[in-house]
Amino acid sequence: MTPDLPPLREELSLMPGPPLVGGQPSWTLHDPVRNLFFQIDWSGFEILSRWALGQPAAIVDEVNAQTALQIGPEDVQDLALFLQQNQLLRPAVGAAPLLADMRGKQRKSWGEWLLHNYLFLRLPLVRPDRWLSRWSPRLNFFYSKLFFRLTLAAALLGLLGVYRQWEQFAGTLVDHFTWQGLAAYGATLIAIKTLHELGHGFTAKRHGCRVPSMGVALLVLWPVAYTDTNEVWKLSERRQRLEIAGAGIATELIIAAWATLAWVVLPDGLPRAIAFLLSTTTWISTLLINASPFMRFDGYFLLSDYLQIPNLHSRSFALARWDLRERLFAVNEPVPEHLPQRLHKGMVLFAWAVWIYRLTVFLGVAALVYHFFIKAAGIFLFMIEIGWFVLMPLRQELLAWRQRWPQIRQRRRYRRSAIAAIVLMLIFALPWPTRITTSGMLQPVRQLELYAPSHAQIGALPATNGSTVAAEAPLLVMKSPDLIRRNQQNEARQEQLSWQSNSASFDVEARKNWQLLNEQLASTEAEQATVDADMKRYQPVAPYAGKLEDLDPDLRPGQWLSQGESLGRLIGDGPWQVVTYVDEDDIHRLAPGDRAVFIADGLAGPNLHLELLNIDKNASPTLSEGPLASMFGGHVAVREKKGILYPERAIYRVVLSVRSDGPITQHSWRGRVTFAARWEAPGLRFLKTAVAVFWREAGF
């Protein structure tokens, strides 16, 4: 004979719940001791209603006879197991050892306790239920249609005003990126999140729910405010649940709307600065954090209640894991739950979106934990993050595959999946032809830049722009009054010292200073050599035959020049070359003799075939070719300091010779350089980067 069913605990209560997705009614089972709620479907309700019969067979017969349901004894046993696992049954006489054993299994070790509290810890700070009950009736205006319309009008006017003053608004946002600004944002965020939680609390009280606690939850040591609104499960109307779940977001949007309007109408000063902080903080935190359904924030509960699917994440994950196994192995396992086809596909896609989002977030949090802690502790916490959030779910899925291995190995789809996996591994491990693309400068090999020296004045212009200049021919004639005066003074001094030195042999007193006079004369001769060298800078000549380009047409004799001013350039006859810079991660795949292609920007210049001529042995400390900098449209990320461009990463200067003749109509072009680099496996590149990062960070 089937044993009697254990009785239910007497303090449990069963309340009507919202209808489920397919229109099936539901009920909510409340455990007041632990303040836990369990959703029961139609068959579960009918079984619980007849639980006092004590026998599964009697319950099955009565449910099948009195309702449209058709259940079996296994349904009763499944519900009994569910009730037992959740401690909803009355303990039997002599069940103390069994309960103690269950308690012992639930008790965590100190390591598990520490890990759980590091990953998630709730700190209740206040018990606001009585305070909320006293103030809730006084806030009815904020729930009225009139206030909603006024807020909507304020939002529209505020956004319109920001649009008209966007430059000022954006400039104010940039001005707050300081330590003081970030501190103000932090204080504002605390105030807004407090109002956010009060929005949940007041709305819950309006619908008759108790709010036992409010406080702070630490998610991987990151503080997040929370409000205990578990009693929303007592509500049978979905609209009421949605109002409570969305009350926090609505509160922030209300603050954002009125703060934006206040920033538009207020004059400059402290009130306008506060309005700006409230506006920007609420818009950003609401849209990027609270409205996201990928974490268990307000957006998740809104989506869950809207779809009428409690435990949306776990149920989506179960469907996605089942879908993955069926696609890979076709095990033909029963689906975890039967849903409409569109909803089923949507939940599977939603699960993958959550996994990808969480992987990105957890990797970012792990990196922050690593950088903000002592290195040893950072490495340990980083490993916990990766192990708990990434490796553990992967391990659990692999264990599930191992349990199903006897069924998997008999399926034909398993072989196809294995072949696909091997192909992907080969794609990852085998070398592939690769291309390296950079920006480069096409220019003549022989090119002389002309710059104005200090205190220079145009004396004569022997050559015009675009004219051909012979070797050793003068390019410009400049003069400097300071240099002329210096030359005259030095020549006069030299002549005087020479006369004194020659006449010293006729004077006994002068003969005593003859050695000193010779030393002074040698000094003036050395000074004259320096003056002559400086004079050549003011009268440059062509070191080779070529064409004078970029000569300023406004230059006239007698015109003064600024020091360092570009005056023109001499383009020599002969070969052309392309100069570019390659990142340190790619330079090992290049060697002299490699082929490349140059395509001018805008397709307005020449397209040339190149051959790699030379690679610098050391990284370039500065960038000489300014047009290749990212700020000017090039590919090299740089930072500028006192007019000098410093690369952000190690780059190597590469020179290529032109192999093909083409119509080169000007002396320089910027364009894209594409190298036919050595073959490399994608996995090798990833492995090298990982090893480099590990080796760099391994030093303490």
Side-chain angles (χ1 to χ4, degrees):
M1 182 177 178
T2 305
D4 293 341
L5 295 172
L8 295 169
R9 287 167 43 194
E10 296 179 353
E11 66 272 18
L12 300 179
S13 59
L14 194 62
M15 301 166 290
L20 300 180
V21 179
Q24 179 186 172
S26 72
W27 285 261
T28 302
L29 184 63
H30 181 211
D31 180 359
V33 176
R34 296 176 293 169
N35 197 32
L36 295 179
F37 297 85
F38 305 89
Q39 191 173 62
I40 305 298
D41 60 6
W42 185 13
S43 60
F45 169 75
E46 297 295 346
I47 295 173
L48 286 177
S49 301
R50 297 164 176 79
W51 196 263
L53 296 177
Q55 293 293 329
I59 295 176
V60 169
D61 293 340
E62 189 166 317
V63 169
N64 292 340
Q66 298 179 0
T67 68
L69 296 171
Q70 294 296 315
I71 64 173
E74 64 277 2
D75 296 317
V76 181
Q77 296 297 337
D78 290 342
L79 183 59
L81 179 61
F82 166 79
L83 297 172
Q84 181 181 1
Q85 291 175 344
N86 290 279
Q87 303 177 25
L88 300 175
L89 299 175
R90 186 191 308 168
V93 178
L98 179 61
L99 295 176
D101 182 64
M102 293 177 58
R103 178 62 178 170
K105 293 180 180 179
Q106 294 176 352
R107 185 179 293 114
K108 301 176 182 178
S109 64
W110 69 271
E112 293 175 333
W113 179 88
L114 185 63
L115 176 62
H116 180 269
N117 285 276
Y118 160 67
L119 297 174
F120 180 79
L121 176 64
R122 269 193 174 188
L123 300 174
L125 300 179
V126 294
R127 301 185 180 278
D129 191 67
R130 295 178 59 185
W131 182 83
L132 293 174
S133 300
R134 183 169 62 253
W135 282 92
S136 181
R138 307 179 186 182
L139 303 178
N140 290 332
F141 171 72
F142 295 105
Y143 294 87
S144 64
K145 292 183 179 179
L146 176 60
F147 181 71
F148 172 77
R149 292 169 182 159
L150 291 175
T151 302
L152 184 60
L156 294 175
L157 292 175
L159 293 176
L160 180 61
V162 169
Y163 173 76
R164 298 180 62 182
Q165 306 178 50
W166 175 249
E167 292 186 0
Q168 183 181 1
F169 187 85
T172 307
L173 182 64
V174 173
D175 292 342
H176 279 79
F177 287 154
T178 61
W179 288 112
Q180 296 82 356
L182 294 177
Y185 271 121
T188 305
L189 189 62
I190 293 174
I192 288 173
K193 291 306 174 185
T194 302
L195 295 174
H196 175 108
E197 299 305 323
L198 288 175
H200 287 302
F202 281 120
T203 307
K205 292 304 298 182
R206 285 180 60 85
H207 294 298
C209 297
R210 189 170 62 93
V211 183
S213 66
M214 295 175 64
V216 176
L218 300 179
L219 300 177
V220 197
L221 302 182
W222 183 264
V224 178
Y226 82 92
T227 300
D228 187 352
T229 57
N230 280 343
E231 288 204 1
V232 299
W233 287 97
K234 291 182 177 180
L235 304 175
S236 58
E237 294 187 19
R238 184 180 62 165
R239 179 185 59 82
Q240 295 176 336
R241 295 187 180 188
L242 289 173
E243 288 179 359
I244 296 175
I249 293 178
T251 301
E252 292 197 28
L253 291 177
I254 290 170
I255 295 173
W258 289 101
T260 304
L261 180 61
W263 181 86
V264 172
V265 300
L266 289 175
D268 290 335
L270 181 60
R272 195 182 196 208
I274 295 175
F276 178 84
L277 292 173
L278 289 173
S279 172
T280 53
T281 305
T282 46
W283 286 119
I284 295 173
S285 65
T286 299
L287 297 178
L288 296 184
I289 300 176
N290 293 105
S292 171
F294 302 125
M295 302 292 286
R296 293 182 66 86
F297 296 137
D298 294 346
Y300 164 75
F301 294 104
L302 282 170
L303 182 61
S304 178
D305 287 335
Y306 177 77
L307 297 176
Q308 303 179 34
I309 303 178
N311 302 319
L312 178 60
H313 278 170
S314 57
R315 294 166 70 176
S316 298
F317 296 163
L319 285 174
R321 286 192 293 265
W322 172 87
D323 182 78
L324 177 64
R325 295 165 192 162
E326 291 301 314
R327 291 181 183 276
L328 292 178
F329 312 122
V331 202
N332 293 331
E333 289 186 342
V335 64
E337 58 179 313
H338 295 279
L339 297 171
Q341 185 176 7
R342 289 183 59 185
L343 182 59
H344 177 98
K345 292 181 179 179
M347 290 182 66
V348 171
L349 294 176
F350 175 74
W352 281 102
V354 172
W355 286 338
I356 295 172
Y357 176 86
R358 289 188 175 184
L359 177 63
T360 305
V361 170
F362 293 150
L363 288 176
V365 171
L368 289 175
V369 167
Y370 170 77
H371 286 289
F372 280 94
F373 282 81
I374 301 173
K375 181 165 280 193
I379 292 175
F380 177 71
L381 297 178
F382 179 89
M383 294 173 63
I384 290 178
E385 296 279 327
I386 299 300
W388 183 270
F389 293 116
V390 179
L391 298 182
M392 184 176 290
L394 181 61
R395 176 179 177 272
Q396 292 174 350
E397 184 60 24
L398 292 177
L399 289 176
W401 292 4
R402 182 180 179 182
Q403 293 175 355
R404 295 163 174 81
W405 178 246
Q407 296 86 7
I408 291 175
R409 64 187 303 178
Q410 298 175 2
R411 301 293 178 179
R412 294 180 59 185
R413 188 171 296 181
Y414 149 71
R415 297 179 178 85
R416 288 187 293 180
S417 299
I419 293 173
I422 293 173
V423 170
L424 290 175
M425 292 178 62
L426 292 177
I427 291 175
F428 191 70
L430 293 179
W432 284 82
T434 55
R435 298 288 183 267
I436 299 175
T437 301
T438 63
S439 58
M441 289 296 299
L442 172 64
Q443 57 194 22
V445 174
R446 293 194 298 179
Q447 184 174 210
L448 175 64
E449 296 280 349
L450 301 176
Y451 296 100
S454 60
H455 307 290
Q457 183 183 24
I458 296 292
L461 297 171
T464 59
N465 186 51
S467 63
T468 301
V469 180
E472 302 301 327
L475 299 173
L476 289 170
V477 176
M478 294 174 286
K479 57 184 180 179
S480 171
D482 293 340
L483 189 59
I484 293 173
R485 183 173 61 256
R486 178 182 162 195
N487 182 54
Q488 293 173 347
Q489 291 175 349
N490 192 71
E491 287 180 348
R493 176 65 173 164
Q494 187 176 4
E495 182 179 355
Q496 179 185 4
L497 290 173
S498 178
W499 180 83
Q500 291 178 350
S501 176
N502 292 332
S503 62
S505 57
F506 303 102
D507 188 354
V508 178
E509 294 297 329
R511 194 180 301 119
K512 296 178 182 179
N513 299 324
W514 186 76
Q515 183 67 29
L516 177 61
L517 291 173
N518 285 338
E519 291 178 357
Q520 292 178 348
L521 181 59
S523 176
T524 57
E525 290 175 351
E527 177 68 16
Q528 186 62 41
T530 303
V531 172
D532 293 340
D534 289 343
M535 293 288 288
K536 292 181 179 180
R537 294 174 50 231
Y538 288 82
Q539 298 178 5
V541 296
Y544 46 78
K547 181 182 291 187
L548 187 61
E549 298 282 357
D550 293 341
L551 189 66
D552 189 351
D554 296 329
L555 289 180
R556 296 290 184 271
Q559 179 179 344
W560 289 94
L561 303 174
S562 301
Q563 183 177 1
E565 179 181 349
S566 178
L567 302 177
R569 67 181 70 195
L570 178 65
I571 308 300
D573 299 330
W576 290 68
Q577 67 180 10
V578 172
V579 177
T580 185
Y581 291 84
V582 178
D583 193 89
E584 62 177 342
D585 294 337
D586 297 322
I587 198 66
H588 67 279
R589 293 191 283 142
L590 298 177
D594 287 349
R595 296 175 294 106
V597 175
F598 174 86
I599 301 176
D601 287 350
L603 303 178
N607 299 335
L608 304 172
H609 293 280
L610 311 174
E611 181 178 344
L612 200 153
L613 190 63
N614 179 58
I615 301 175
D616 285 359
K617 295 182 179 180
N618 299 318
S620 301
T622 60
L623 181 65
S624 303
E625 288 74 13
L628 300 184
S630 57
M631 63 179 63
F632 302 122
H635 75 288
V636 181
V638 298
R639 64 182 185 280
E640 189 270 338
K641 186 176 181 181
K642 296 182 179 180
I644 301 176
L645 301 177
Y646 296 93
E648 295 286 356
R649 290 174 53 85
I651 56 174
Y652 291 79
R653 192 173 187 266
V654 177
V655 179
L656 304 100
S657 61
V658 177
R659 295 174 54 195
S660 60
D661 296 330
I664 303 177
T665 57
Q666 62 185 46
H667 55 76
S668 65
W669 287 92
R670 187 181 68 188
R672 309 303 295 178
V673 180
T674 302
F675 294 89
R678 296 177 183 175
W679 290 30
E680 185 179 46
L684 180 61
R685 184 184 182 94
F686 173 79
L687 182 62
K688 285 182 178 179
T689 304
V691 171
V693 172
F694 174 78
W695 188 260
R696 183 185 70 235
E697 301 295 337
F700 288 89

